[in-house]
Amino acid sequence: MRYKWGIDLGGTKVEGVILDTENNNEIIARLRLPTEQQKGYKHILGQIHGVIQKLEDETGIKPTHIGMGTPGVIDPITNKMKNSNTLCLIGKELRTDMEQLSGLKFKTSNDANCFAVAETIMGAVADLDPKPQVVFGVIMGTGVGGGLVINGNVFEGRHSIAGEWGHNVLDPDGVDCYCGKKGCVEKVIAGPALERYYEEISGTKKSLKDISAAHQKGEDPLATQTVNYMVDNFGKAISYILNTIDPEVVILGGGVGNIPDLLDKAVEATAPYIFNDKVETTFLKPKLGDSAGVFGAALLW
Ligand SMILES: [Zn+2]
């Protein structure tokens, strides 16, 4: 297949892209439509189909296979969507329904997996020599997700949950998580959790952006305490990943992943917890920004 087609299905927009694999994955065309999820599941299917048809009209290229990034994943056992924040998708046979509607073959994966494979093939990892065998892509923002890429391919796992380190339990006495457990990694080091931590120790509400800025300027010891708390807990949480799959590269994405201390101190923070004398893992910033989702979707086939 010379042309790879990707769809990034989000809660607010459906974006599509065509990449030319014979020309260094150059973008042939790219466009978006609103998801309008309040109009329901059938409408979302129509919007996805609409993006494909518009790209086809614009370029004259006919697809056969579509890669699609989804909020949540399709359970490999039930064939139904799960773990989605776009609630009307849960329990639906999204891939089967899209294949019936469009007559095309679909492969789907969640946004963190798309991020990880896009950064591996077209972004932060693309120029590394030698090419790493195993890459772990991390998205830390309002939640904490992750995707595992082995030899350039997304690895989904038995339950399609490979890489979901955000719901490893980090603090058994911690706060309730929507997944039904307590003190998940996401409930300790995602943005809202860190803002709550700062509020507890200072009595003041501040956005994580402001907390990070105050720490950078050295003007607020409690902001520094919050950033240090994040960095230490990140080290503890990521050490479980390193001890289990030992990736050569970890990519740190998302709004929390952007905080400079995290990248600067990742090795130092992981060292006390890893089962090795030294941390040789390479931690990198992502390069593709918001485009990673739709590029990664195209790279699923
Ligand atoms: Zn959880």
Side-chain angles (χ1 to χ4, degrees), residues 166-169 176-187:
H167 297 277
N168 287 350
V169 175
D176 290 342
C177 184
Y178 72 88
C179 74
K181 299 190 293 291
K182 277 181 193 296
C184 292
V185 168
E186 176 167 310
K187 288 291 161 189

Side-chain angles (χ1 to χ4, degrees), residues 75-263:
D75 188 296
I77 297 151
T78 65
N79 196 35
K80 291 177 178 166
M81 283 289 296
K82 65 177 180 184
N83 301 350
S84 179
N85 58 6
T86 304
L87 298 178
C88 68
L89 296 176
I90 292 174
K92 296 293 197 298
E93 297 188 9
L94 178 61
R95 179 178 49 227
T96 309
D97 291 341
M98 273 318 302
E99 289 186 341
Q100 279 176 358
L101 180 65
S102 66
L104 306 169
K105 293 293 287 176
F106 272 73
K107 194 183 267 188
T108 64
S109 205
N110 74 8
D111 46 1
N113 291 338
C114 290
F115 162 81
V117 71
E119 288 292 344
T120 299
I121 293 174
M122 294 171 68
V125 183
D127 298 329
L128 292 191
D129 187 26
K131 286 234 174 299
Q133 197 183 356
V134 181
V135 175
F136 189 62
V138 163
I139 301 182
M140 295 168 62
T142 52
V144 173
L148 182 58
V149 175
I150 303 176
N151 295 326
N153 297 307
V154 168
F155 182 82
E156 299 269 358
R158 178 67 180 114
H159 311 90
S160 283
I161 57 166
E164 292 287 8
W165 72 307
H167 297 277
N168 287 350
V169 175
L170 192 58
D171 175 8
D173 301 320
V175 299
D176 290 342
C177 184
Y178 72 88
C179 74
K181 299 190 293 291
K182 277 181 193 296
C184 292
V185 168
E186 176 167 310
K187 288 291 161 189
V188 181
I189 57 171
L194 294 166
E195 287 166 0
R196 192 179 52 241
Y197 176 84
Y198 180 81
E199 193 182 344
E200 271 170 25
I201 58 173
S202 70
T204 320
K205 265 190 202 287
K206 255 189 197 175
S207 72
L208 186 63
K209 208 171 156 215
D210 291 344
I211 296 167
S212 171
H215 158 67
Q216 294 290 325
K217 288 185 205 144
E219 64 187 21
D220 180 352
L222 295 178
T224 295
Q225 185 182 324
T226 304
V227 171
N228 290 343
Y229 169 85
M230 170 193 72
V231 169
D232 178 59
N233 278 291
F234 168 80
K236 195 187 289 179
I238 203 76
S239 73
Y240 300 147
I241 301 297
L242 269 51
N243 284 348
T244 312
I245 53 170
D246 202 6
E248 293 106 311
V249 177
V250 174
I251 310 160
L252 295 176
V256 180
N258 245 336
I259 295 177
D261 283 68
L262 198 66
L263 188 65

